[in-house]
Amino acid sequence: MSINIYKDQMERGTLFGKPVLFTEQDIPRESVPDGWFCYDLCGNDRHPDEPTELMDRVLWERLGTVLSPAPLKRASTEVRKIKDALVLSGEMTSLNAFCQEQGLACPSDPRKYILRPASAQEAGLFYSEMDQEQDAMAGTVGHMRFYFDSEGTFCHSWQPHNDDRFNTPEFKSALQEFVDEMRERGPLHGGASMRRWCYQNPAGEIGREQVGFVAETEEYRFCLRCTALDGDYGYLYCYDLNEQRLAMTDQEAQSPKMEMGGM
């Protein structure tokens, strides 16, 4: 499970004499504010159940994660031995309270688009709707097909829906912003990143080795279909929620009103 560092509490502690926040849960790296540092703790062969080593990322047998306003190892150092340098207080606190105690400005979440795993009921949003009327009702702007080539380049193509009439300059700007953020902080950072997102979010599985993620704003819904298979395509389906609301309003206005019968 992962933790929301902006809402959930973590344990006060020190590591190498520096104040840190500790949690046994995973901290999504895309949520770490700029200028802060996040590391995983793991054991070694002699002490597999004790945090003895500090690493940027541990895929298996992670014993905890620390969030720090200061670096705890050199960027070029893969593993730093902890020994007895980790001291936990047993007291829980919020990120805001921790920053006040340390005389730091409390950072804000760097993400504008926060992904959540898709529900089973949303699986249809990640595929093309064959019925044009339903596609219009959904406000589908279009979908992007993408993959990462052998050199890690992000390759993509765009397929418009609904005669491309929802593809406004405002949408194009939002789409570019969304893709840029996913490339920097999300599963589109690279093929390995996308696979890791798939493995860490099994609740969003919508097909064989495919996991769906949803991000919404007031105007748009982005449905990102990621794949854990090398060489397979991923897809991004985009919906204009304002057009969807208008279509629903028009449908309700055109529906015949039910008349009350006599008793």
Side-chain angles (χ1 to χ4, degrees):
M1 293 181 61
S2 61
I3 189 173
N4 185 329
I5 62 174
Y6 302 98
K7 296 181 179 180
D8 301 328
Q9 291 196 331
M10 294 169 281
E11 187 175 356
R12 290 187 183 91
T14 60
L15 183 54
F16 306 124
K18 297 180 179 180
V20 298
L21 290 168
F22 170 84
T23 176
E24 293 182 349
Q25 301 183 65
D26 180 50
I27 295 179
R29 295 308 193 263
E30 68 275 7
S31 71
V32 177
D34 295 333
W36 285 64
F37 302 85
C38 189
Y39 307 96
D40 284 341
L41 308 178
C42 64
N44 55 27
D45 292 338
R46 293 185 61 186
H47 304 284
D49 298 324
E50 298 178 15
T52 58
E53 297 179 344
L54 179 82
M55 301 177 65
D56 289 328
R57 196 68 159 155
V58 176
L59 297 180
W60 310 108
E61 299 180 352
R62 178 183 54 81
L63 299 179
T65 307
V66 292
L67 181 68
S68 170
L72 300 177
K73 70 176 185 62
R74 293 186 179 91
S76 59
T77 301
E78 183 177 350
V79 180
R80 184 177 181 183
K81 301 296 183 180
I82 294 176
K83 296 183 180 179
D84 299 322
L86 176 64
V87 180
L88 299 177
S89 68
E91 300 175 350
M92 305 300 288
T93 189
S94 66
L95 176 60
N96 183 55
F98 175 84
C99 289
Q100 290 181 358
E101 294 166 3
Q102 301 301 321
L104 302 171
C106 186
S108 57
D109 194 328
R111 300 168 295 174
K112 179 176 180 179
Y113 301 95
I114 300 177
L115 297 179
R116 61 171 175 80
S119 66
Q121 293 75 20
E122 295 173 312
L125 295 173
F126 297 83
Y127 299 89
S128 292
E129 175 59 61
M130 300 302 293
D131 187 302
Q132 292 186 359
E133 183 177 347
Q134 292 184 9
D135 210 28
M137 284 287 296
T140 313
V141 184
H143 74 265
M144 176 188 294
R145 186 177 74 169
F146 62 87
Y147 67 97
F148 296 92
D149 66 14
S150 58
E151 297 181 353
T153 302
F154 179 67
C155 306
H156 58 88
S157 60
W158 174 257
Q159 178 64 45
H161 288 231
N162 289 301
D163 299 322
D164 210 26
R165 66 181 188 273
F166 302 152
N167 193 8
T168 63
E170 292 79 11
F171 167 75
K172 291 177 181 177
S173 177
L175 174 62
Q176 186 66 60
E177 186 178 56
F178 175 78
V179 172
D180 286 347
E181 184 169 314
M182 295 302 103
R183 294 280 289 129
E184 180 181 1
R185 294 182 174 272
L188 301 187
H189 186 69
S193 179
M194 184 165 59
R195 289 190 293 275
R196 184 172 65 249
W197 273 74
C198 288
Y199 295 142
Q200 292 177 344
N201 294 275
E205 185 175 352
I206 56 175
R208 180 177 174 271
E209 300 292 338
Q210 294 183 335
V211 175
F213 298 95
V214 179
E216 291 183 347
T217 67
E218 183 66 24
E219 296 82 17
Y220 303 108
R221 177 182 292 126
F222 296 101
C223 296
L224 184 61
R225 183 171 130 207
C226 295
T227 176
L229 297 176
D230 285 332
D232 203 0
Y233 288 111
Y235 292 85
L236 171 63
Y237 279 80
C238 308
Y239 300 89
D240 188 316
L241 297 181
N242 289 323
E243 293 293 341
Q244 187 180 109
R245 297 182 191 107
L246 287 172
M248 294 179 64
T249 300
D250 289 344
Q251 185 184 53
E252 292 173 357
Q254 295 172 10
S255 299
K257 295 183 178 179
M258 182 180 297
E259 296 182 1
M260 297 297 292
M263 295 297 293

